[in-house]
Amino acid sequence: MKKTVFSKIFLNNVIIILSSMLILAVSSFIIITHVEYNARIETLKDNAKAITRFIDSGIPAEQLENLLYGFSHSANKNIIIINKDCRIIMESTVDGSYTGEKRIVDKKFCREVLSGKDNVEKGTLGGIYSSDMYTLQLPIAEQRMGRIVGAIFISMPAPELLELQGKLFGTMSIAFLAVLLMSFLLSYALSKRISKPIKKMGIAVRKFAKGDFSSRVDLDKGNSITEIEELEAAFNDMAFHLEKAEDIRNNFISDVSHELRTPMTTIGGFVDGILDGTVPAESREEYLKIVKDEISRLSSLVNSFLDVTRNAENKQELQTTVFDINETIRRNLFNFESRICENDIEVDVVFETEACYVRADSDSITRVLTNLIENAIKFTNNGGILRISTETHQQEVFVSVYNTGCGISSEDRKLIFERFYKVDKSRSLNRDGTGIGLYIVKDIINRHGKNITVKSVEGEYAEFVFTLDKGKI
């Protein structure tokens, strides 16, 4: 039989509660019984000492008998006085357990008390009583000489103590059951509270396995267990990214199919036209240039896929050197001069110092800058601004690539560094791209042990900022 999380938690709680309650109940019962027994013995001692004081005072025998009668009946105890020869010289009993047939107590039951020690005996005192008794024995000493002249025995039936234990056991049993029931209910509620969200997550995971990534875990508002809330948030965040990743994958397949089909259709059509003579000889060179451009597009697309694969396998090792990041930025901007002029983009370069040295892989950082600048130009409005700046803070260099234009929505900012993710094409001024440029940028920066962030206001601007270690020359 399979055990659920609920059953395991509940069973463990039940075992712990039962064990704890059992240990607590037994120890409490023993302690309380011992305390009550000692309290009763102390009461009997006080009575016995009072009687001893009367005997020492020389009270007449008749008055002593009346006194014993009063003590025994008020305390509901049997009282016997013996002399130093263990002979019973006076008694007052309240039940039929004392027959009066034996007038001498066996010496083995008197030896210790006649030696001057307080003592407690359990039993019939050698047949003095017909049933078991708890008997407190106190010596009687002569007041002037201090000699032991006898002893006083105060007895109570053993069943009386057992009855006390029975009442105590009954009271504790009721309390034990009440606490146990309450503990079971609380344990049940807590077990449900912990296992319910886990069960919901299990259902959601099974949906994930079937390809449905829309499921989310929605916990009850009353569930305030921090770890469960954190697990819920992490799970839903994972579900969100899985769903988005699935959307990206589907969109990527669609985009790649389109990107591959369009140039291949164009190439195939032009080649067929050249072969069957449809394309006139004087136009063949122009069409072959178009075919060449389409082949370049295909080659670029395939190279992008290879780049993603190499980055995923981490085969490219960083070759760290110290170089001037400002100079690298200048060279990159020269490469985009024609496109910048075509779009009438204003370029603003802000360097804190003329030269700014960093320690990094020069080729990789060149690629980062190329992707960021190309991306910025692509989304900058005509007549807009492209601003690139560098500044140093302690041991890090901050590089910023800023552009005005359509900006990036808050939803796109969450996923913009995901592999194959492309922003809404309707917002782009240039629809080219495979959606892996920013993924590669983030991967390169992360492999340098640094981070890249994006800030944007939709419809106004976008800014990418990454950091590098400061270099010394």
Side-chain angles (χ1 to χ4, degrees), residues 69 111 250 291 396:
Y69 180 86
R111 188 178 298 115
N250 292 332
V291 169
E396 286 188 319

Side-chain angles (χ1 to χ4, degrees), residues 136 178 260 266 456:
L136 172 66
L260 291 175
T266 302
S456 179

Side-chain angles (χ1 to χ4, degrees), residues 21-31 172:
M21 291 295 296
L22 185 61
I23 293 171
L24 180 62
V26 171
S27 59
S28 299
F29 180 78
I30 293 172
I31 292 171
M172 291 190 66

Side-chain angles (χ1 to χ4, degrees), residues 224-338:
S224 59
I225 301 177
T226 303
E227 290 79 1
I228 296 296
E229 290 179 345
E230 291 175 351
L231 184 60
E232 176 204 9
F235 186 90
N236 287 337
D237 185 59
M238 178 195 71
F240 170 79
H241 282 89
L242 282 175
E243 185 177 22
K244 290 300 179 182
E246 181 65 11
D247 291 341
I248 292 171
R249 187 183 70 86
N250 292 332
N251 291 334
F252 169 71
I253 292 174
S254 176
D255 290 346
V256 168
S257 299
H258 175 74
E259 292 290 341
L260 291 175
R261 183 172 58 249
T262 301
M264 290 177 69
T265 301
T266 302
I267 292 169
F270 288 160
V271 170
D272 288 341
I274 292 172
L275 292 176
D276 61 18
T278 304
V279 176
E282 61 275 13
S283 302
R284 288 179 184 177
E285 184 177 351
E286 180 182 351
Y287 283 103
L288 286 174
K289 286 180 180 179
I290 296 174
V291 169
K292 181 183 177 182
D293 291 340
E294 295 299 327
I295 291 173
S296 296
R297 284 185 59 195
L298 285 174
S299 178
S300 177
L301 188 63
V302 172
N303 287 333
S304 296
F305 298 153
L306 291 175
D307 288 341
V308 171
T309 303
R310 281 196 295 268
N311 282 327
E313 295 176 354
N314 201 24
K315 288 182 178 179
Q316 294 179 323
E317 295 184 1
L318 299 177
Q319 302 294 327
T320 303
T321 59
V322 176
F323 62 94
D324 184 0
I325 187 69
N326 291 352
E327 183 60 28
T328 304
I329 292 172
R330 294 188 189 98
R331 288 199 304 268
N332 266 274
L333 284 172
F334 286 140
N335 294 334
F336 292 99
E337 185 177 3
S338 60

Side-chain angles (χ1 to χ4, degrees), residues 414-431:
K414 296 177 183 178
L415 301 166
I416 200 164
F417 293 110
E418 296 288 337
R419 185 169 54 180
F420 303 126
Y421 184 78
K422 297 171 70 174
V423 298
D424 184 4
K425 288 184 178 180
S426 63
R427 295 171 52 249
S428 174
L429 301 177
N430 188 324
R431 301 190 179 189

Side-chain angles (χ1 to χ4, degrees), residues 82-86 110-116 148-151:
I82 64 171
N83 61 14
K84 63 179 181 179
D85 297 323
C86 296
C110 305
R111 188 178 298 115
E112 190 164 352
V113 68
L114 291 177
S115 68
I148 303 299
V149 295

Side-chain angles (χ1 to χ4, degrees), residues 403-457:
N403 71 280
T404 59
C406 57
I408 306 169
S409 69
S410 57
E411 183 179 352
D412 284 332
R413 285 201 300 273
K414 296 177 183 178
L415 301 166
I416 200 164
F417 293 110
E418 296 288 337
R419 185 169 54 180
F420 303 126
Y421 184 78
K422 297 171 70 174
V423 298
D424 184 4
K425 288 184 178 180
S426 63
R427 295 171 52 249
S428 174
L429 301 177
N430 188 324
R431 301 190 179 189
D432 293 336
T434 58
I436 65 169
L438 291 178
Y439 164 77
I440 293 174
V441 164
K442 183 176 178 62
D443 180 72
I444 291 173
I445 297 300
N446 288 163
R447 286 200 286 130
H448 279 80
K450 299 300 177 179
N451 198 16
I452 182 169
T453 58
V454 57
K455 293 186 293 184
S456 179
V457 174

